[in-house]
Amino acid sequence: MTTEGEGRGLHTHVLDTLGLAITAGEYPQGSVVRTDEVAQRFDVSRTVVREVVRVLESMHLVESRRRVGVTVRPTEEWNVYDPRVIRWRLAGSDRPRQLRSLTVLRSAVEPVAAGLAARHATPEQCAALTEQALGMVATSRGRRLEEYLVHDIAFHRVVLNASGNEMFARLGDVVAEVLTGRTHHQVMFDDPDPAAVTLHVQVAEAVREGDAVRAEELTREIAVGALEELDVLAP
């Protein structure tokens, strides 16, 4: 008898496998995903397959049509902001282009968010930003990239939340997936760029001091540096 935990595990496995295949182009636009074949391939029930299809539909990767079945939608219709879609695309052969696209998005949003954070951050958010920046410093040497990643993600979440703009705040998961994908797919040096680490500390200081212009300029420097890293590591 399958337990609830095992059922969730099967669901996640089938979802991740199909999501990766679709975003990698193994199922081209307009192709049909045969649910009976999926159930047989993964040895799962039709209920599990239906649940997976519903999730893929919510991401606009596929659509179900009577007498046709489950078909793959055009890339332009995908919910490219869904963290799982980002994760799958970063795991595929299109990683360099996807990383660049997302990093350009960050460069457009995060400097403005940092400037707003300098105007609106609460004392608690300022303290959290400083804490995470110091955590980045502490883990920036000795190939501790996974530990560094935790502080890096938290830092950027605080900036987006402290902006006071709910649209920016919702991009926290997107930025987290970019930073995670960059680390897990070796699009990072063995240790973070010391200049970038220092810039994060300075951003925290600028936000704490309420210097919006400086916070925005420093964050833009971080974004430029991230794009330059891609030129070297993921051309």
Side-chain angles (χ1 to χ4, degrees), residues 5-171:
E6 289 172 337
R8 284 292 95 196
L10 284 171
H11 175 277
T12 301
H13 174 61
V14 176
L15 177 62
D16 281 339
T17 304
L18 283 181
L20 280 164
I22 291 170
T23 55
E26 293 177 29
Y27 291 93
Q29 173 185 331
S31 62
V32 177
V33 180
R34 307 285 180 189
T35 54
D36 53 343
E37 292 178 3
V38 172
Q40 185 175 15
R41 173 185 171 188
F42 293 98
D43 191 23
V44 296
S45 67
R46 292 180 182 273
T47 301
V48 169
V49 176
R50 283 196 295 270
E51 288 175 356
V52 167
V53 168
R54 277 198 289 269
V55 176
L56 294 173
E57 284 180 315
S58 73
M59 301 172 177
H60 295 182
L61 295 181
V62 302
E63 63 180 340
S64 298
R65 290 185 291 176
R66 187 170 294 178
R67 298 193 180 91
V68 177
V70 179
T71 58
V72 176
R73 298 175 69 159
T75 309
E76 308 83 62
E77 297 178 4
W78 294 355
N79 180 5
V80 294
Y81 286 102
D82 188 294
R84 286 166 297 190
V85 174
I86 292 171
R87 190 182 315 148
W88 295 333
R89 296 180 81 187
L90 288 176
S93 59
D94 198 33
R95 183 183 308 132
R97 191 176 68 85
Q98 174 75 347
L99 271 174
R100 188 167 299 279
S101 175
L102 289 163
T103 304
V104 169
L105 172 68
R106 289 183 59 201
S107 71
V109 169
E110 289 194 272
V112 177
L116 289 171
R119 297 186 179 95
H120 303 300
T122 64
E124 292 77 16
Q125 287 170 326
C126 290
L129 204 57
T130 299
E131 179 185 352
Q132 298 307 329
L134 293 177
M136 293 173 72
V137 173
T139 56
S140 63
R141 286 288 171 267
R143 300 187 178 186
R144 299 166 64 185
L145 289 180
E146 288 296 334
E147 295 172 77
Y148 180 87
L149 175 63
V150 172
H151 295 291
D152 198 9
I153 289 173
F155 180 94
H156 290 280
R157 280 193 188 279
V158 174
V159 170
L160 292 168
N161 288 328
S163 72
N165 183 301
E166 73 277 11
M167 303 300 287
F168 287 173
R170 287 298 299 273
L171 290 174

Side-chain angles (χ1 to χ4, degrees), residues 198-215:
T198 300
L199 284 170
H200 282 78
V201 174
Q202 292 172 337
V203 169
E205 292 172 351
V207 170
R208 188 174 65 248
E209 293 168 1
D211 190 338
V213 173
R214 181 163 168 74

